[in-house]
Amino acid sequence: MLPSTLLSVVIASLAALEVHGHISIWHPSMYGFNVTDKTFPYDNRPVAPLTNYTFDQWWFHGHLDYPPNPGDIFELPAGKPATTELACNKGLTSYFASSEGGDVRQGDNPCPSDDGSFPSGAMHTVDFNDLKGCALAIAYESDVTKIKPEDFTVFSINQTCVWTRFTDFQVPARMPPCPEGGCHCAWFWIHSQDSGGEQNYMNGFRCNVTGSTSNVALAKSQLPRRCGADPDNGKADAVRGNCTYGAKQPFYWFQAEDNNMFEGTYAPPFYTDLYNFKDGAQDDIFVDSYAEIPTPSANQTVIPTPLEPSSTSAATTTSSTVPPSAPTSQPTDQAPFGTPPGRCSVCKLRRANGTAVRKRSLFGFELHAHSKKGRSFSLWHPF
């Protein structure tokens, strides 16, 4: 047993590490933008992960009672990139003035580590090849109390999220204008199971589409289906006929209630080709994107092809009626921060001996045997 003084030092050290948190999008348009670790009786900062929560706790991160100030809105330029800031602490962003710790920015690094290594534990990736992407989704509703989970439609994916603080999300060129009062958006992230698991991230914010040149509405979003190559789980090849095409919902996963994904601890859903989420703007999410979409299944061989906008009907349905391959190398134009460690031996062991890596603290991980976890899951479930 550790001496009481040493134990106190260990606990204090771990507490100091946890202050850094994990990763969140940051912008004044957020719900919970000024929530701190003292606001709730538990850590419900925007960077805190969402696991096994009730609906009221995980929906909009439980921050609906902490709305943005009037006039604070995130702009989505149609056909152009929307630049977001991702970080494990507000003080690392352009909005450091309202952070308890002030300005602690370190360039484009989203979460500096205490020892200077990169990536830090809060980024939940062992290296660039282990990134699993993030999503932006939109609901064409200005009244946040009316929004339901199925009303969100993913419109942009960045598969190299959360490698940099400044992260671009490409906005589809045909995004229709928002209703009076604007839209609502949300940022979503589920990280690799190699660097901690069982964590979902959602942060909601007010948004508005600018420069819109189309009035074609988004299609009703459907549940994403696991259909890409998944060798770690016995699927060497993609089954494209099993994909969901067109408008798709975000993942609501590993909560106590109201999940729409039921994959287990060791095979989380990701915003990658694994679920037919291509990197960049999701240009096939509109009501006229496809002439027909066949019912997906493991035996489906018909793969729908999106129609060219010029060949589709000039639909003028208003957008207010809306609710009815992963990267393999470091970009050559991006300098790494510090010295990225190689893929950790613990993570390699996970695949070799049937164990999984779980996050113990910000920079520590531990192995858990599958047989001891007691959670079951089905990757290829029908909907």
Side-chain angles (χ1 to χ4, degrees):
M1 180 177 295
L2 290 173
S4 59
T5 54
L6 178 58
L7 182 60
S8 299
V9 171
V10 171
I11 292 174
S13 298
L14 289 175
L17 287 175
E18 290 301 325
V19 168
H20 294 296
H22 301 269
I23 299 286
S24 169
I25 191 174
W26 292 98
H27 191 267
S29 62
M30 288 170 52
Y31 287 79
F33 181 66
N34 291 314
V35 165
T36 72
D37 59 349
K38 309 277 193 309
T39 308
F40 286 76
Y42 61 99
D43 185 1
N44 198 35
R45 293 168 298 156
V47 298
L50 306 171
T51 302
N52 200 34
Y53 280 176
T54 64
F55 178 77
D56 288 341
Q57 287 177 308
W58 69 257
W59 181 239
F60 276 73
H61 214 297
H63 291 159
L64 289 180
D65 291 335
Y66 301 86
N69 293 322
D72 285 332
I73 196 160
F74 188 88
E75 292 190 348
L76 303 171
K80 299 178 181 179
T83 302
T84 64
E85 289 193 57
L86 309 178
C88 62
N89 186 293
K90 194 196 300 186
L92 292 164
T93 74
S94 302
Y95 313 107
F96 62 83
S98 60
S99 173
E100 307 97 307
D103 188 359
V104 292
R105 292 174 296 174
Q106 292 190 18
D108 208 22
N109 192 336
C111 194
S113 60
D114 292 337
D115 61 3
S117 62
F118 185 90
S120 66
M123 294 168 65
H124 290 288
T125 184
V126 295
D127 56 30
F128 188 82
N129 300 329
D130 200 38
L131 296 169
K132 299 301 182 182
C134 303
L136 288 187
I138 190 168
Y140 275 77
E141 175 56 65
S142 60
D143 185 348
V144 72
T145 65
K146 295 180 179 179
I147 301 174
K148 299 177 182 178
E150 59 269 23
D151 293 336
F152 273 118
T153 298
V154 174
F155 68 89
S156 188
I157 297 290
N158 187 307
Q159 290 186 354
T160 62
C161 177
V162 294
W163 198 253
T164 57
R165 170 164 70 105
F166 292 105
T167 301
D168 284 349
F169 287 87
Q170 298 293 327
V171 181
R174 301 180 70 214
M175 291 289 278
C178 289
E180 184 178 356
C183 294
H184 278 87
C185 290
W187 175 80
F188 295 89
W189 174 43
I190 296 177
H191 58 69
S192 169
Q193 72 276 16
D194 283 349
S195 301
E198 305 175 13
Q199 292 181 355
N200 207 343
Y201 293 78
M202 175 191 187
N203 298 103
F205 54 98
R206 288 191 174 277
C207 57
N208 188 50
V209 177
T210 61
S212 179
T213 59
S214 171
N215 285 316
V216 178
L218 275 59
K220 180 177 176 58
S221 59
Q222 305 297 320
L223 292 172
R225 294 173 65 94
R226 198 177 187 107
C227 62
D230 192 11
D232 285 347
N233 292 290
K235 292 285 184 179
D237 301 312
V239 184
R240 291 302 173 195
N242 197 44
C243 293
T244 299
Y245 291 88
K248 293 184 283 293
Q249 297 175 19
F251 301 131
Y252 306 121
W253 175 74
F254 233 96
Q255 305 308 319
E257 54 187 12
D258 291 282
N259 296 300
N260 67 359
M261 292 287 113
F262 300 93
E263 283 76 347
T265 307
Y266 308 108
F270 299 129
Y271 293 104
T272 64
D273 292 11
L274 183 60
Y275 285 80
N276 201 30
F277 281 115
K278 305 300 182 183
D279 192 35
Q282 307 300 288
D283 292 320
D284 66 342
I285 60 176
F286 306 98
V287 293
D288 61 357
S289 292
Y290 294 92
E292 183 179 2
I293 299 178
T295 302
S297 76
N299 300 317
Q300 179 61 254
T301 59
V302 178
I303 309 301
T305 301
L307 300 172
E308 292 295 330
S310 59
S311 66
T312 59
S313 61
T316 57
T317 306
T318 62
S319 58
S320 60
T321 61
V322 171
S325 32
T328 58
S329 63
Q330 164 80 26
T332 56
D333 61 348
Q334 178 176 294
F337 301 104
T339 304
R343 184 174 291 274
C344 64
S345 58
V346 166
C347 301
K348 290 181 179 178
L349 284 173
R350 174 188 168 273
R351 292 188 173 88
N353 62 15
T355 58
V357 181
R358 281 206 60 181
K359 187 170 180 297
R360 186 174 62 240
S361 66
L362 187 59
F363 300 106
F365 302 93
E366 59 186 10
L367 296 173
H368 287 257
H370 285 201
S371 59
K372 294 180 180 180
K373 188 63 182 175
R375 295 186 186 272
S376 61
F377 61 92
S378 172
L379 299 180
W380 304 89
H381 54 79
F383 293 111

